[in-house]
Amino acid sequence: MTDIREDITKTAKDAAYVAIGLGVMTFQRAQVRRRELVDLAKQQLPTLEAPLTEARSEINRRVKEFDGQVQGLVSKFEQRVQPVEQRLPAPAQAVIGQAREAGEQLRQYILSALAA
């Protein structure tokens, strides 16, 4: 009876050691693969940098162009709405002012996010 228990205990210990060993080997293999991927990325980065810089510049140019067009439309809209806005009660004018301010903050946030 004790021999069976000893055999089971020994087998369980051996299985645990094998599992731990496999885990350590897998972890080491993953680290080696990670280092290989980092090295590969470092090699590829210089070839990708110029096209990415060019693409960023083009995106920034188009965003500024689009923003200019939107600002023109907003100005025209505000010119047409201003006479109506002036006839509204003060609380309504305050709400419109807050909406205008929130819109400008959103515009600045979007521009800064796209420029980053």
Side-chain angles (χ1 to χ4, degrees):
M1 187 70 124
T2 56
D3 289 336
I4 293 174
R5 286 184 187 166
E6 288 175 8
D7 288 342
I8 291 173
T9 303
K10 184 180 180 298
T11 303
K13 281 182 183 179
D14 290 344
Y17 290 138
V18 168
I20 291 171
L22 287 174
V24 168
M25 288 173 46
T26 302
F27 179 74
Q28 288 174 340
R29 184 175 285 160
Q31 281 188 318
V32 168
R33 184 65 182 141
R34 181 189 58 84
R35 285 189 204 115
E36 290 172 352
L37 289 172
V38 167
D39 291 342
L40 180 64
K42 286 179 182 177
Q43 291 172 0
Q44 295 294 325
L45 188 61
T47 61
L48 297 174
E49 195 167 334
L52 287 175
T53 302
E54 187 177 313
R56 281 188 194 117
S57 296
E58 181 65 17
I59 288 171
N60 283 335
R61 184 185 68 77
R62 290 187 181 204
V63 164
K64 287 178 183 176
E65 183 180 304
F66 178 73
D67 183 52
Q69 292 173 350
V70 168
Q71 283 301 100
L73 291 173
V74 168
S75 294
K76 287 180 183 178
F77 178 77
E78 286 183 355
Q79 287 174 357
R80 291 187 176 169
V81 172
Q82 191 174 15
V84 174
E85 181 183 341
Q86 290 174 350
R87 289 189 275 164
L88 293 174
Q93 289 179 4
V95 169
I96 291 173
Q98 289 173 350
R100 188 175 288 129
E101 187 177 314
E104 181 59 27
Q105 287 176 353
L106 178 61
R107 176 182 160 268
Q108 292 298 328
Y109 174 78
I110 290 170
L111 288 175
S112 65
L114 290 173

